[in-house]
Amino acid sequence: MRIALLLLLLTASAAAAAPTAPSGGVQEPATSPTATARAAARIPRSVWGVGADDLQINPQSGLQCPARLGAYRRDRVYAYDGAGLDVDCNYVAQGRRITLYLTRLDGADLGRIYDNAKTSLVKVGAELHPQLLAEGPRQDEGFSWRMALYGEDGGLHSSLWVGELDGWLVQYRATYPGDDDASIQADLSVFSHQIRASAGAHLDLCARSEAKPGVGKRIDTKDAATDAAMSGILMASAALAAEDGKAKPAAATTWCFAKAIAVGQHGFIAWRAVDGAGADGNAVRITPLTLDDPPALDIALDPAGAQIDSELGRPPRWTASWRRGPKTWVFAFYDGRPDLDDAARLTDDILAGKAHALSSYDSASHAVTISTPSK
């Protein structure tokens, strides 16, 4: 199976082929017309995932852009970076166009962004001779907006709205007939409600707990043989308990953006897990930047394993597992919450076929495989 990886430091249109993922008979899915169209547009699914009814989802922010929003039809989504931290959704209706931008601020000054956006609007639309008609603060759907309204040739109006949401820039650019000012404001309230309900809910949940530093190191393969055997047995036991209806339902997990990481020319995103209340979920995830749905390396503190560690008088170990289809591989153990950069290097090695799986479990055949570490 081959996975197309994106270069982290280039735009979303940059792509590179990655080596083979772990062996195990997993077949690459047939390419659908939708996948072909997305590949042609070079919009990676690690930046814009696809949900039911063609819902476009930016996992980094939680923003959801439906195919239709009020009277508007979505005609594109876009990414201005390779990591999914600077995106837009564009919507059109009769004679109207609204573009919704969402960008991680990372300490950038909102006032300067607003001033630069006004300058850009006037410069880019110079042939329409934009003239400032009104400017001032606005309050809507819990947002504090900075708004500027311009008149343009042909009786058009263009309005610019800039606000902030949990450390992310929210911006609208709307162009429409000049007598539609009041109805456009009502339309933008619908857009703001959608942002609050999707990105707002996600970012608020993630903000309820702080990211914990990862200092855990990989345990030497030779010392992990016993843990590998135990992990395979625990995976099988958990799967069989689930089939028998004896397992506790899995807790809801939300994955929050942690950081973007470059390993050579390949880009990765690190995530941290939170539970339904926003508390730390004792798990991290590494995903490559891909055109197709990205695979994931999950590294988690296993409660059953932690109990064994406690009985052995050692710190709880974190298990690095990789799941594709019915098969799960264990590739490493960490002696604490893992260092995210090292976890990304491990993910890169897995994709390149350089990492040695310690154990695996196939839920279809219930087969447990224990690998013998090389000497």
Side-chain angles (χ1 to χ4, degrees), residues 89-112:
C89 303
N90 196 74
Y91 286 86
V92 294
Q94 273 193 318
R96 304 177 180 189
R97 178 178 295 273
I98 296 176
T99 303
L100 180 172
Y101 302 90
L102 194 64
T103 307
R104 187 176 168 95
L105 282 169
D106 284 329
D109 181 70
L110 201 65
R112 180 174 296 178

Side-chain angles (χ1 to χ4, degrees), residues 27-59:
Q27 299 297 313
E28 184 170 330
T31 302
S32 66
T34 300
T36 302
R38 288 178 64 86
R42 314 305 280 180
I43 301 297
R45 286 205 174 187
S46 56
V47 171
W48 281 111
V50 181
D53 299 321
D54 197 28
L55 180 70
Q56 300 287 319
I57 305 167
N58 173 238

Side-chain angles (χ1 to χ4, degrees), residues 51-130:
D53 299 321
D54 197 28
L55 180 70
Q56 300 287 319
I57 305 167
N58 173 238
Q60 288 80 348
S61 65
L63 176 66
Q64 299 183 9
C65 292
R68 289 197 167 273
L69 191 53
Y72 290 79
R73 172 182 59 83
R74 190 194 67 229
D75 73 342
R76 77 159 200 181
V77 293
Y78 194 72
Y80 297 90
D81 69 338
L85 305 178
D86 188 3
V87 298
D88 80 28
C89 303
N90 196 74
Y91 286 86
V92 294
Q94 273 193 318
R96 304 177 180 189
R97 178 178 295 273
I98 296 176
T99 303
L100 180 172
Y101 302 90
L102 194 64
T103 307
R104 187 176 168 95
L105 282 169
D106 284 329
D109 181 70
L110 201 65
R112 180 174 296 178
I113 291 172
Y114 173 67
D115 291 337
N116 289 341
K118 289 197 300 177
T119 300
S120 176
L121 186 152
V122 172
K123 183 177 180 180
V124 172
E127 72 280 2
L128 296 177
H129 306 101

Side-chain angles (χ1 to χ4, degrees), residues 205-218:
L205 190 67
C206 292
R208 295 180 190 179
S209 61
E210 294 185 2
K212 296 182 179 180
V215 296
K217 300 183 183 302
R218 260 186 269 180

Side-chain angles (χ1 to χ4, degrees), residues 15 82 113 157 178 211 263 353:
I113 291 172
H157 279 183
V263 179

Side-chain angles (χ1 to χ4, degrees), residues 94-97 128-131 133 149-159 173-181:
Q94 273 193 318
R96 304 177 180 189
R97 178 178 295 273
L128 296 177
H129 306 101
Q131 300 294 320
L133 301 178
L149 174 65
Y150 290 82
E152 299 177 339
D153 292 351
L156 293 176
H157 279 183
S158 279
S159 62
R173 168 73 185 275
T175 301
Y176 52 91
D179 55 358
D180 286 350
D181 283 331

Side-chain angles (χ1 to χ4, degrees), residues 61-64 102 165-166 194-204:
S61 65
L63 176 66
Q64 299 183 9
L102 194 64
L165 176 68
D166 285 320
Q194 175 66 20
I195 295 170
R196 279 282 179 199
S198 57
H202 177 88
L203 296 172
D204 175 71

